[in-house]
Amino acid sequence: MYKHILLAADGSENAVRAAKEAIKIAACHEDSMIEIVYVVDFDQSKSDVLHSSSSEARNLERRKKIARVEQLIKESNVSYKVTFLHGTPGPEIVKYANEQQAELVVIGSRGLNSLQEMVLGSVSHKVMKRVNCPALIVK
Amino acid sequence: MQSLKQQWFGNIRGDILSGLVVALALIPEAIAFSIIAGVDPMVGLYASFTMAVTIAFAGGRPGMISAATGAMALVMVPLIRDYGLEYLFAATLLTGVIQILFGLLKVAKLMKFIPNAVMIGFVNSLAILIFMAQVPHFIGISNMTYVFVGITLLLVYTLPRFIKVIPAPLIAIVSLTIVAIFSGVNLRTIGDLGTITQTLPSFIIPDVPFNLETFKIIFPFSISLAIVGLVESLLTSQIVDDMTATESNKNQEARGQGIANIVTGFFGGMAGCAMIGQSVINVKSGGRGRLSTLVAGIFLMFLILVLGDLVVKIPMPVLVGIMIMVCIGTFDWTSFKYLAKAPRTDAIVMLTTVVSVVWTHDLSKGVIAGVILSAVFFVVKISSVKITQENNRYYVNGQLFFASTDSFIDFFKYNDFNSSTIQIDFSNSRIWDDSGVGALVKVEDLLKEKGIEVEVVELDASSKKILSKLQGVSSSH
C-alpha cells in the first residue's frame, strides 16, 4: 500500500493519464493520499507576473492548469492536496519527493515542452533516475 | 516575513555562490549601461558596487539585485549630454531623496494602480531602447564587428547547455577578448570609449552650484529617475517574490532604493535600481538572502580592482552581443499573443506605453501615458450603463454614479413604454452616490409624467442605504 503518492502535473494530456493511474493505486486503500505537485518554472515567473494583475489572479490561473487532474481525483473520492513548487521541474520534483519521503511518484512520460525534451532529455526520465522511491511513468 | 537573521544567514553557501555568479554577470552590463548613459565605465561600476552593497542592508526584498541599469541610464542621457557628470551625481542624490519620500508615503500601494498592460509595455520598450542603443556600435563599422557580435550571440545561447556554473556571457567575454588580442583584428574596445581606474570609489560632494537654477535642471530628471527606478524595482520584487514563494516589504524597498541612490550619488555613481535579469540569475543560481546581494557588490569591486587593465581590452562587439542577449531576455515574447487575445483597450494601452517611451526615450513618460490612458478607458467602461428589457422588467447593468447617470436617464426619457406599470431591476447594478440617487428620482418623475408607475426592485443593501440617507423623507414610498 502506498500512503503518500506524489503526482506530478503540468497541464498536459499525459498528466491526466498519469492521474488516472494514480487514482487506481490510491483507490486500493483508504489511507492513501495523492499530492498533486505543479512546478512553476523559474523562467515562467516573469511573464506570469507581467500578465496577472495580482498574486491571487496568478494563483488562480495556475490552479486552472491542474483543474482537470484535480477534478478527476475529486470525483474518485481519493483524498488529495495541491502543492505548488518553484524552480526547474525535474530537480524540484526530485528534491521535494525525497524531502517529503513520498512512497511513490507518478509522472507522465512526456510533458508540454517537446523541444526542450529533445535537447535536454525528458523530465520523467530524470525524476525516475534520481528519486529515492519507486516511480511510475505513464505513457 | 523571515527574521533578519534568516534574511542574512539562512542560506550562506547558496548566497555566496550566487553572489559570485551575479558579480561576473554584472560587469558587462554595468559597463554597457555606462556607455548608453554616455559616461565612463567606472561610473556604472561604482554605482553597481554601492547600489548592491547598500540595498543588501536597506532593501525590502532579500535576494534581489540592484545596480546600474539600462532603464535609468536611458533617462539620464540628455542630462549628461547637456550639463555633464557633476549634475548627474546631484540628480542621483535628489532621486534618492524623492524615492525615500515615496517610500514614506507608502507608494507601493499606488503601484497596484499600474495595470499590467503598462508593465508589459515598460519591459518591451526597455528592451527596444537598449537594442537601439547598441545599433551605433555594430552597424556599418566593419565586417569583423558583425562576425564578433554573431559569435558572441552563438556562444551565450549554446554554452549554457554544457556549462552551467560559470555565466555564459563571461566565458564569451574572456575567450573572445583573448582571440581579439592574439589575432590582432581591428576592433573597437571599451578602452576607446572610456577609462577604467583601479581605485575604490571615494566620497565626493557633487561640484554644482547649490541654487534654484541647479534644482530646476535636475528636478525633472530626478522625478523621472525616481519613478522608473521604483517601477522596475517593485516589478522585480514581485518576480522574486513569485520565484521564491516568499513575501517582501515593498515600502521598505522603496526607501532602500532611495538610500542606495543617495549613497551612490555621494560616491560618484549613476542612479540605479533593481534589475530583473540579474535578480532572476541570482535566484536561479541559488541566491535567496541579503548576503547574495552583498557578495555580488563586493566581488564586483574586487574584480575591477584586480582586472581593470584587462576590462578595457574587451572588444565592443562582444559587449554588444551580450546586450542583444539582455534585450531578448528583457522583451516579453508572449506580448504578441497578448496583443491578439487581450481586450482591445489593454492592447492599445500597451502599445501607447511602448510608443511614448520609444518616442521620448523616457520610460517614466511611457508609464504615465499608459496609466492615464487606462484610467480613461476604465472610466469610459464603468460609466456606461446598459438597460435590458424582459416584459415589464427593465434590468440596469452597470454602476450608477455621477459619470453614468446620463445614459441611464436617456434610456427612460426616449423609450416608449407599452405598459402602465414597470419594474426597474437593480440586481446587476449598484447606486454609488447622490448623482445616482438623483438620477433614479428623476426617472421616477419622468415616468410619472408619462403616466407610468415605477417599482424599483432588487436593490442591494448598500444602494438601499445611500438611497434612504439621501432621499430622507421621500423614502417612505
Side-chain angles (χ1 to χ4, degrees), chain A residues 40-54 56 58-59 62 86-87 119-120, chain B residues 112 116 119-120 123 161 235 238-239 242-243 245 276 283-284 288 329-332 334-335 338:
Chain A
V40 181
D41 199 310
F42 275 153
D43 293 322
Q44 206 182 315
S45 276
K46 185 187 136 204
S47 89
D48 281 3
V49 166
L50 276 175
H51 288 274
S52 59
S53 45
S54 66
E56 293 77 20
R58 207 150 56 232
N59 287 339
R62 286 169 184 168
H86 296 259
V119 183
L120 299 170
Chain B
K112 283 219 156 191
N116 4 2
M119 283 302 196
I120 299 167
V123 296
R161 297 263 148 82
L235 174 62
Q238 285 177 25
I239 294 169
D242 190 68
M243 288 177 83
I276 300 174
V283 175
K284 274 187 177 175
R288 293 291 181 279
T330 302
F331 197 88
D332 177 51
T334 51
S335 296
Y338 176 83

Side-chain angles (χ1 to χ4, degrees), chain A residues 8-16 37-38 62 64-69 111-112:
Chain A
D10 64 350
S12 69
E13 207 46 48
N14 271 75
V16 174
V37 174
Y38 178 87
R62 286 169 184 168
K64 276 189 198 159
K65 292 201 173 135
I66 54 155
R68 271 185 69 201
V69 166
L112 285 172

Side-chain angles (χ1 to χ4, degrees), chain B residues 342-386:
Chain B
R344 289 302 76 198
T345 50
D346 284 2
I348 293 169
V349 168
M350 200 274 262
L351 289 174
T352 304
T353 307
V354 172
V355 170
S356 344
V357 173
V358 174
W359 189 265
T360 62
H361 281 236
D362 183 341
L363 285 147
S364 70
K365 295 206 174 79
V367 171
I368 292 167
V371 169
I372 291 174
L373 188 62
S374 59
V376 170
F377 280 141
F378 179 73
V379 170
V380 170
K381 184 179 155 201
I382 200 154
S383 62
S384 80
V385 170
K386 282 204 178 62

Side-chain angles (χ1 to χ4, degrees), chain B residues 46-124:
Chain B
Y46 282 157
S48 300
F49 167 62
T50 52
M51 285 296 298
V53 169
T54 315
I55 215 73
F57 293 93
R61 173 63 258 180
M64 185 160 79
I65 303 296
S66 292
T69 60
M72 301 291 261
L74 290 160
V75 176
M76 56 185 78
V77 173
L79 178 69
I80 295 157
R81 189 187 54 215
D82 298 341
Y83 299 97
L85 197 56
E86 295 296 331
Y87 280 83
L88 169 65
F89 299 149
T92 301
L93 290 177
L94 186 58
T95 301
V97 173
I98 295 169
Q99 287 181 327
I100 290 175
L101 285 176
F102 280 164
L104 294 174
L105 296 171
K106 310 256 182 285
V107 85
K109 275 206 174 131
L110 281 176
M111 291 288 297
K112 283 219 156 191
F113 289 94
I114 301 183
N116 4 2
V118 177
M119 283 302 196
I120 299 167
F122 182 92
V123 296
N124 288 346

